[in-house]
Amino acid sequence: MNTVIPPASVIARARAPLRLGLGGGGTDVSPYCDQYGGEVLNVTIDKYAHATVSAAPAGSVRLLAADSGRSWQGTADAVLARQPGLDLHVGVYNRIVRDFMGGQPLSVDVVTHSEAPPGSGLGSSSTMVVALLQAFCEYLSLPLGEYDIASLAHDIERVDLGMAGGKQDQYAATFGGMNFMEFYADRVIVNPLRMKADIKAELESSVVLFYTGVSRESAAIIAEQTSHIRRGDSAPLEAMHRVKAEARAMKEAVLTGNLEAFAQSMRTGWEEKKKLAKSISNAAIDQVYESALAAGALAGKVSGAGGGGFMMFVTELSRRPEVMRCLQGLNGQVFTCNFTERGAHSWRKN
């Protein structure tokens, strides 16, 4: 591809939305999805990963993660060495240079920040990769579509950087909205759900988020899950099948506006998910979960692989204040959120 480097005045920005994993999480991870097919229901929310790409002095690169304060500046080479806290920046830069610049280094300034911490369970790492790719696409005028960006983001994380995880996060951040996703060995299918406005408002108004304050490392949880699948362990495998079935049931509940059925599927899905790996839940998470249900929540779960990060609850609107008061008395932070329709997008700052 004959890519043209833009004028020094061009500043490209992008943002990509974080997501809530509603059901089916874990079935998008290989080898399960390769052998049996994965099915996931998720929705993007109004919290974002942001990226800016602009020109740097000739022959240099500067990388900055503004939220963590991590930074690096050095020579613009065809392949940058990995830097502490900046793996995602380096991974995207290296792939862009390799695939779209013919190995010609780029003199760029790359700045990012996220509205959620790493390990939040909201797909923050994958969402940041998508935001970085979207910003580079804007900066270099690369003609990549949604499936291209999501697939490339997945390859950068899982292959180039060797980070454990599934596939849903990259596709959620790229496409945006509420989607029922299907994952197979050779393809991904994103099915946008066309919710009626009143159903969306009801479901959105029922959600309460609780940040446990614990940033968890998902790699160990995912490694345990995948080892069960590779060995063909019957109990975890059957639990994974049931997690997938509940994602399908949740989709039907969303489309028909049946909040009670949605909550029932979330409860069942969470109980089954806890059977996939020992560290998905713990005493602190169980205490938060039981306290919220006692206060009136209909269902809850950890968003993401488990072990910490954000928990989400659904509740009748009339009980929402009571559930929020209960959670505010625990060791964490309480949030509400709005669902978003738009996925990753970019623009130029004049």
Side-chain angles (χ1 to χ4, degrees):
M1 179 180 292
N2 187 18
T3 305
V4 178
I5 297 176
S9 60
V10 170
I11 299 175
R13 300 196 194 279
R15 72 176 189 176
L18 299 164
R19 63 99 185 101
L20 292 177
L22 301 176
T27 70
D28 59 316
V29 179
S30 296
Y32 181 85
C33 62
D34 302 333
Q35 296 178 29
Y36 304 101
E39 295 178 357
V40 170
L41 180 68
N42 57 38
V43 64
T44 52
I45 60 174
D46 55 349
K47 294 182 182 296
Y48 297 90
H50 301 261
T52 298
V53 178
S54 58
S60 68
V61 171
R62 183 175 80 107
L63 309 176
L64 171 64
D67 40 9
S68 68
R70 296 276 191 173
S71 65
W72 175 85
Q73 186 167 353
T75 303
D77 294 323
V79 178
L80 300 182
R82 293 174 73 159
Q83 304 297 326
L86 297 166
D87 282 356
L88 304 180
H89 303 63
V90 169
V92 172
Y93 172 93
N94 287 346
R95 182 59 85 95
I96 289 290
V97 167
R98 191 192 85 182
D99 289 3
F100 303 103
M101 300 301 299
Q104 176 187 351
L106 277 169
S107 299
V108 287
D109 187 278
V110 181
V111 181
T112 66
H113 75 275
S114 177
E115 296 175 17
S120 64
L122 301 179
S124 54
S125 295
S126 301
T127 304
M128 182 57 74
V129 174
V130 169
L132 282 162
L133 282 174
Q134 189 74 49
F136 270 104
C137 285
E138 182 69 38
Y139 185 70
L140 298 170
S141 300
L142 301 178
L144 300 184
E146 286 105 335
Y147 278 100
D148 299 320
I149 290 175
S151 178
L152 183 56
H154 174 268
D155 286 351
I156 290 171
E157 271 195 284
R158 307 293 176 241
V159 180
D160 298 357
L161 297 176
M163 300 173 71
K167 299 178 181 179
Q168 69 160 310
D169 298 349
Q170 298 88 355
Y171 287 84
T174 304
F175 282 84
M178 182 173 285
N179 295 290
F180 183 74
M181 300 181 178
E182 302 170 60
F183 301 94
Y184 304 99
D186 58 346
R187 68 194 188 282
V188 176
I189 303 172
V190 178
N191 304 284
L193 299 192
R194 297 181 61 184
M195 285 186 293
K196 294 180 179 179
D198 56 346
I199 295 175
K200 177 186 174 184
E202 182 70 19
L203 183 58
E204 189 177 62
S205 299
S206 76
V207 172
V208 177
L209 302 181
F210 179 77
Y211 181 55
T212 63
V214 178
S215 178
R216 88 284 182 274
E217 189 63 54
S218 61
I221 296 173
I222 292 169
E224 185 178 349
Q225 290 179 195
T226 56
S227 68
H228 288 313
I229 302 304
R230 288 195 176 97
R231 291 197 304 263
D233 295 345
S234 59
L237 182 58
E238 288 303 316
M240 191 75 87
H241 291 335
R242 290 190 290 269
V243 165
K244 181 169 68 174
E246 291 306 327
R248 198 177 308 125
M250 290 178 80
K251 177 191 72 170
E252 300 300 325
V254 165
L255 293 175
T256 58
N258 189 336
L259 182 59
E260 291 76 15
F262 179 89
Q264 178 60 55
S265 288
M266 180 175 287
R267 285 196 300 272
T268 303
W270 173 238
E271 292 303 320
E272 295 299 331
K273 187 175 178 66
K274 288 189 290 184
K275 299 174 184 177
L276 303 179
K278 294 178 181 178
S279 53
I280 284 177
S281 192
N282 54 49
I285 290 173
D286 291 343
Q287 180 185 9
V288 173
Y289 181 83
E290 295 300 333
S291 297
L293 262 60
L298 297 173
K301 66 184 294 290
V302 172
S303 183
F310 273 84
M311 299 181 70
M312 66 169 293
F313 298 94
V314 292
T315 177
E316 291 281 1
L317 186 56
S318 61
R319 303 295 297 274
R320 193 188 200 192
E322 186 176 347
V323 172
M324 293 180 69
R325 281 194 298 271
C326 168
L327 293 172
Q328 285 163 356
L330 303 175
N331 187 26
Q333 297 173 272
V334 181
F335 300 87
T336 58
C337 65
N338 293 311
F339 300 160
T340 63
E341 297 290 341
R342 192 175 190 184
H345 60 284
S346 57
W347 64 96
R348 294 190 176 193
K349 179 180 180 295
N350 297 321

